[in-house]
Amino acid sequence: MKRVFLCFVICAMCAMQSGCVIAALGVAAAGVSTTVSAMDDEVSHSYPYPYWCVYRATHVALNEMSIPIDSIERTTEGDKFFATTKKYPVIVTLQEVTPSLVNVSVSAGNNVFQLDAATGNAIVEGVEEVIRRSLTAGLYAP
């Protein structure tokens, strides 16, 4: 619906204005599209395990990937891990949805325009791997 409206506005502007205005609108639309695309690079995954299990797995996964944890901040919803890679900061947010469901969101990058989904995916997969190994070793029984 938004695209149809945007096309209608651009067509109306074409009939009334010179090419410079249309070019400016096109550049602005491309900028908005880039911003929305970049904001989608935050990675999120939910785990059907108790909070303490996902918390420990996150801690171990970051250590195993040699991503040093700078600090951990307790929030009302859960915890935030602040870490740093060689290139940019990483924020891992844990939110307890239910006593047996935890959502993990990873934001890696300098700002909204420079987010790295690959690092986020690697961290999420690392947490999952640590949980899998813990289950295999019998350290946690669901």
Side-chain angles (χ1 to χ4, degrees), residues 21-105:
V21 173
I22 302 307
L25 284 175
V27 170
V32 169
S33 173
T34 302
T35 302
V36 171
S37 172
M39 292 173 122
D40 290 343
D41 286 340
E42 182 174 293
V43 178
S44 187
H45 187 77
S46 293
Y47 298 96
Y49 300 104
Y51 189 84
W52 65 266
C53 180
V54 178
Y55 179 92
R56 289 181 183 173
T58 302
H59 208 282
V60 170
L62 289 171
N63 285 330
E64 287 180 353
M65 288 188 253
S66 299
I67 301 175
I69 299 171
D70 300 326
S71 65
I72 302 172
E73 179 183 303
R74 183 83 176 137
T75 65
T76 55
E77 296 87 21
D79 290 289
K80 279 189 178 184
F81 288 75
F82 295 92
T84 308
T85 66
K86 290 183 179 180
K87 291 185 176 182
Y88 40 72
V90 174
I91 300 172
V92 181
T93 305
L94 276 63
Q95 292 180 318
E96 185 175 29
V97 180
T98 68
S100 60
L101 182 65
V102 179
N103 184 33
V104 177
S105 298

Side-chain angles (χ1 to χ4, degrees), residues 6 12 16 41 43 55 57 64 84 98 112 115-116 118 129 132-133 135:
L6 182 61
M16 299 184 322
D41 286 340
V43 178
Y55 179 92
E64 287 180 353
T84 308
T98 68
V112 72
L115 291 178
D116 181 12
E129 175 63 21
R132 187 193 61 75
R133 286 194 326 245
L135 289 172

